[in-house]
């Protein structure tokens, strides 16, 4: 494996779960308890992330409340009620100048024309700082909100997603960058030759266009993807400019990185035009012991109802509500046929089968970060780990997922980021004004632009 | 006709066309020429409107570029490329504290679940200042952007709109106002008994819910409507809390007002729960003569290509591009069978048939304000006209449509509003924090709330 020493600096994103990424975050006294309806909470966090020179903030999304056992959900409220991301990021754009704004939206239950408009509009509002995390819906509760009984098959979801992205890009190209003359003397506002009708007719969509929003400042908002399946990787290699991924081991992260960058060549893309940023959940202490204590306190906040509920979907939705939490999970509750595309399934199953952990031990290990990489230690120790992965060429950066918000973001910004900056691994000033400029991504030319 | 002297104060909205409401606005040196992509332009205007104590700002919308003759459209760029309203208003919400934010969105090409989320989110972001102008699409270019060949019939559009609004209200009621306990001691974030699944099954939609956004601060964002047809009036009487309308004569405005308020009784609604706000396009001068000169200058900016194009749709889309502008319109180009639901058709047709105006005279008269009421004069004269209509009980307020933006808004705010305030006809401070509070509208109880 090629492990040439990396040049340049890492990219950092801040992932804003409403009260924090730990499953029990809202129970922690340092969490903003009403985060799901508190705009000022998001404003303060975004401004803090911008002061720390993060490349971007990132918001997840779903088109339904979470389905599950209400006995558990009432104690585990994340993504039950929260802001719609494109509106929230538009509000945050008005209060910031440099930080990127990445919102998730599903291709399964949106119209390309509507979505193309909103992201183009966000890119204009923010002066070129928008990103779109392209997802296909996997929440089984979503189709019922759109007159459908069930999710399409996995392959169909990606087929639709690929065509959806193509249509949206086509719509973003409707107006060439120099279409607007704004010439009062000749009474000519735009050049009709630089306005284009897409006339897309495909398997999933028929969309004429043109879009009624000018071409985004970035050409296209930055395209983000997070799927880890084979179809997801191909889609990322073809279309994504950032990939968020869950990686817990360096060797696997490096293999994922190298595989994805190799796939890009098949689509004629240069490896540096995709930034791979695994999630990283930092638990920071002045000493390692303090960090471990902080983590143990968080783990102790997980209610058994929640612990069982959060293991259940990773095991294919099996009902664990009557399982004793201080015993090992019975073998018959682990069904390997469930969903082999989910890399977390095997990890969770192995805890019971190979390590013989009790259910409580399982959910405490898996539960806090849900299959993401938790790094517990001093700012220096955390920076060491980040440096190691980055210099090994396993990542282009990290998506920071603080356990408790806003406290965990402030801690990271005040302790780990200065350490990374001292080592020359992270910027001290933004390189540009747009998200593309800060990430080092090309601005795509419009498909109709004359070669000059 | 009952013309009891009105109590209370009038309501005022500011309608932000990108460069202004006059068809040639962008050619005026005081217009912000890049308004369609300039967020700061909207920010400055919204802050100015808030300082002037306007109840609300209002944004129109369409789900396509305008269809028409490109020879004319290149000289008449309004609504060809501009911000998507829900994202733009979310950005503006972050920069303001009191002013209402009303965005148009069509029921024809949206999903109720997606739209309910965005307006609820905007209501949370703004602390209860959102409004939704409910429209059905009449732009023939829109269906092609959504895989459809043509618009549904007028009655079908309203059927869908009524059901759409019912679904959206039902989704906004998903979480009761006091559903969120946020009780760390008992580890209870919400009360499952106060979370409701809509399970709507109707003619147009099947939507399960619940919504994944908390109940909006206003209960429901304020519902706005602008249809003038019989079906539109019934819909407004049933569901609308603000009606925007084009009225040019006091007697007709009074008749429209009384008809609409009378229809409300059929739906068990009190007349004061609907605010009728006709459009008003002010042209302000220090003297009446100066105002007339300003208007004449604006009219002179209308290019003949644009003049012909803007008459054409009001006459059912007839091609006028070869018609000489200094002659009377030939009778055979006026087809009365076109669209009797449009009150503007008759006005335009009469200009040619009864008044024998030339095409240039027609488009100059009709064109600047497009069937809306233009009031030309000193601040005192404009306030006189507003006072007369308000005291006659013909209106609850006005939607101010400045000819040129931002200049026309600033002029109105600095000259007419102080005159209205001196007369006690308009507020000097906001009464409340939410749009409902400022408009004097009840906050609707959730449908599941216990009667206490």
């Amino acid at each position: 494996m090629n492990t040439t020493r990396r040049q340049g600096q890492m990219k950092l994103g801040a992932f804003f779960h409403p009260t924090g990424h730990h499953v029990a975050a809202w129970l922690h006294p340092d969490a903003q308890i009403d985060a799901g309806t508190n705009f000022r909470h998001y404003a303060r966090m975004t401004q803090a992330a911008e002061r720390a020179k993060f490349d971007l903030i990132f918001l997840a999304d779903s088109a339904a409340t979470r389905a599950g056992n209400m006995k558990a959900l009432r104690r585990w409220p994340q993504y039950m009620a929260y802001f719609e991301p494109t509106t929230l990021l538009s509000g945050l754009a008005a209060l910031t100048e440099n930080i990127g704004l990445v919102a998730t939206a599903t291709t399964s239950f949106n119209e390309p024309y509507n979505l193309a408009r909103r992201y183009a509009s966000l890119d204009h509002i923010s002066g070129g700082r928008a990103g779109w995390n392209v997802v296909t819906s996997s929440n089984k509760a979503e189709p019922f909100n759109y007159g459908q009984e069930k999710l399409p098959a996995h392959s169909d979801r990606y087929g639709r997603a690929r065509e959806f992205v193509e249509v949206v890009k086509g719509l973003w190209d409707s107006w060439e960058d120099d279409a607007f003359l704004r010439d009062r003397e000749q009474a000519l506002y735009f050049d009709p030759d630089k306005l284009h009708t897409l006339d897309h007719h495909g398997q999933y969509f028929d969309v004429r266009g043109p879009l009624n929003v000018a071409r985004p400042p970035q050409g296209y908002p930055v395209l983000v993807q997070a799927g880890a399946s084979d179809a997801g990787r191909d889609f990322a290699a073809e279309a994504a400019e950032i990939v968020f991924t869950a990686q817990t081991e360096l060797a696997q992260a490096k293999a994922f990185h190298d595989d994805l960058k190799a796939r890009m060549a098949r689509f004629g893309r240069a490896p540096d035009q995709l930034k791979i940023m695994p999630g990283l959940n930092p638990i920071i202490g002045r000493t390692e012991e303090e960090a471990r204590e902080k983590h143990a306190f968080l783990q102790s906040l997980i209610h058994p109802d929640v612990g069982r509920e959060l293991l259940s979907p990773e095991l294919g939705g099996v009902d664990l509500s009557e399982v004793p939490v201080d015993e090992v999970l019975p073998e018959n509750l682990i069904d390997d046929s469930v969903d082999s595309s989910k890399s977390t399934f095997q990890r969770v199953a192995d805890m019971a089968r190979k390590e013989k952990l009790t259910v409580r031990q399982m959910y405490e290990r898996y539960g806090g970060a849900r299959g993401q990489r938790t790094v517990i230690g001093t700012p220096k120790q955390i920076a060491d780990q980040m440096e190691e992965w980055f210099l090994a060429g396993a990542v282009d950066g990290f998506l920071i997922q603080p356990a408790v918000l806003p406290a965990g973001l402030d801690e990271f910004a005040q302790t780990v980021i200065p350490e990374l900056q001292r080592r020359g691994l992270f910027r001290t000033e933004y390189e540009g004004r747009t998200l593309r400029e800060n990430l080092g991504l090309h601005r795509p030319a419009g498909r109709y632009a004359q070669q000059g």
Side-chain angles (χ1 to χ4, degrees), chain A:
Chain A
M1 202 189 301
N2 179 1
T3 51
T4 13
R5 196 174 163 85
R6 280 291 287 268
Q7 302 291 311
Q9 297 183 320
M10 62 178 68
K11 306 300 174 190
L12 292 179
F15 184 172
F16 290 170
H17 266 39
T19 53
H21 284 259
H22 193 278
V23 68
W26 77 271
L27 291 164
H28 195 287
D30 292 343
Q32 183 67 42
I33 200 164
D34 63 351
T37 57
N38 186 333
F39 177 68
R40 292 295 146 195
H41 165 61
Y42 282 96
R44 284 190 300 262
M45 285 199 298
T46 308
Q47 288 166 333
E50 184 168 79
R51 283 193 301 273
K53 315 299 176 198
F54 273 94
D55 288 84
L56 58 91
I57 63 167
F58 169 59
L59 298 177
D61 193 42
S62 179
T65 53
R66 281 160 48 230
N69 180 349
M70 214 39 85
K71 202 174 137 195
L73 294 186
R74 66 188 173 156
R75 307 188 190 280
W76 180 19
Q78 284 191 330
Y79 298 107
M80 289 299 287
Y82 57 105
F83 292 98
E84 186 281 328
T86 62
T87 43
L88 179 56
L89 289 188
S90 298
L92 298 172
L95 303 177
T96 50
E97 294 288 333
N98 292 286
I99 197 162
L101 305 161
V102 179
T104 300
T106 181
T107 55
S108 302
F109 304 110
N110 275 294
E111 289 283 346
Y113 196 87
N114 292 341
L115 195 139
R117 289 186 72 198
R118 292 213 308 285
Y119 279 86
S121 192
L122 175 61
D123 209 42
H124 283 289
I125 290 168
S126 63
R129 296 184 284 132
W132 170 30
N133 180 35
V134 183
V135 300
T136 65
S137 289
S138 59
N139 177 343
K140 286 175 188 166
E142 294 187 20
F144 294 100
N145 294 331
Y146 300 90
Q148 296 171 37
E149 298 278 310
K150 57 176 186 178
L151 292 169
H154 191 257
S155 60
D156 236 36
R157 297 210 309 265
Y158 270 102
R160 182 178 159 109
R162 294 163 69 104
E163 189 178 325
F164 195 114
V165 170
E166 276 316 299
V167 171
V168 167
K169 284 180 172 179
L171 290 169
W172 284 334
D173 284 338
S174 297
W175 299 87
E176 293 187 37
D177 289 316
D178 56 355
F180 296 99
L181 309 169
R182 298 185 181 122
D183 180 340
R184 281 181 175 140
E185 223 155 287
Q186 296 189 73
L188 285 177
Y189 197 88
F190 65 86
D191 178 353
D193 291 340
K194 297 189 171 179
L195 170 60
H196 304 277
T197 300
L198 181 64
D199 266 328
H200 172 88
H201 298 284
Q203 186 179 349
Y204 298 90
F205 301 105
D206 294 285
V207 179
R208 187 167 78 178
L211 197 68
N212 56 358
V213 184
R215 193 157 194 263
Q218 296 185 102
Y220 308 148
V222 173
L223 292 174
V224 183
Q225 218 270 332
S229 67
D230 192 61
R233 290 186 191 202
D234 269 347
F235 181 50
E238 180 180 0
E241 298 171 299
I242 298 175
V243 163
F244 296 145
T245 169
Q247 299 292 339
T248 54
E249 304 295 332
L250 174 54
Q252 282 163 18
K254 175 72 174 154
F256 176 83
H257 174 278
D258 292 351
D259 173 66
L260 203 47
K261 299 255 169 157
R263 287 178 196 235
M264 292 175 73
R266 300 217 304 269
F267 301 98
R269 298 182 66 205
D272 70 345
Q273 292 301 299
L274 169 61
K275 306 300 174 188
I276 299 177
M277 299 168 69
L280 190 153
N281 299 31
I283 307 279
I284 309 167
R286 281 165 298 183
T287 62
E288 188 177 330
E289 192 191 352
E290 186 184 76
R292 296 208 175 276
E293 278 166 12
K294 283 168 81 169
H295 187 242
F297 176 62
L298 271 166
Q299 299 291 72
S300 76
L301 294 175
I302 305 176
H303 193 284
D305 289 352
V306 173
R308 284 183 285 231
E309 182 71 7
L310 79 93
L311 289 178
S312 164
E314 301 309 333
L315 295 169
V318 61
D319 181 9
L320 302 177
S321 60
E322 302 302 318
V323 168
V325 294
D326 290 314
E327 295 175 16
V328 175
L329 187 69
E331 178 81 15
N332 67 325
L333 292 178
I334 305 172
D335 173 6
D336 284 286
S337 68
V338 175
D339 188 353
S340 58
S341 75
K342 291 186 85 167
S343 53
T344 47
F345 171 79
Q346 213 49 59
R347 272 204 293 278
V348 172
D350 283 354
M351 290 185 209
R353 282 201 288 223
K354 297 190 183 161
E355 301 189 58
K356 300 292 179 197
L357 300 190
T358 67
V359 170
R360 186 191 299 273
Q361 288 168 327
M362 283 174 71
Y363 72 64
E364 287 200 353
R365 182 185 304 175
Y366 173 69
R370 272 161 291 165
Q372 298 281 343
R373 179 175 172 225
T374 299
V375 182
I376 302 167
T378 65
K380 191 174 171 310
Q381 289 174 317
I382 292 169
D384 286 347
Q385 295 249 345
M386 295 172 74
E387 180 169 10
E388 183 189 9
W389 283 42
F390 180 68
L391 295 184
V395 304
D396 298 299
F398 298 93
L399 184 64
I400 304 305
Q401 306 178 148
V404 173
L405 288 169
L409 176 76
D410 292 335
E411 278 180 322
F412 188 88
Q414 288 158 18
T415 64
V416 181
I417 288 203
E419 180 64 28
L420 294 170
Q421 289 169 330
R422 269 192 292 276
R423 301 180 189 190
L425 291 168
F426 190 59
R427 70 165 67 80
T428 53
E429 282 304 332
Y430 286 102
E431 295 82 11
R433 277 296 302 276
T434 71
L435 178 55
R436 284 188 180 280
E437 286 166 6
N438 287 321
L439 290 173
L441 296 171
H442 300 324
R443 183 181 187 281
R447 65 193 59 192
Y448 308 102
Q450 298 294 319
Q451 305 298 320

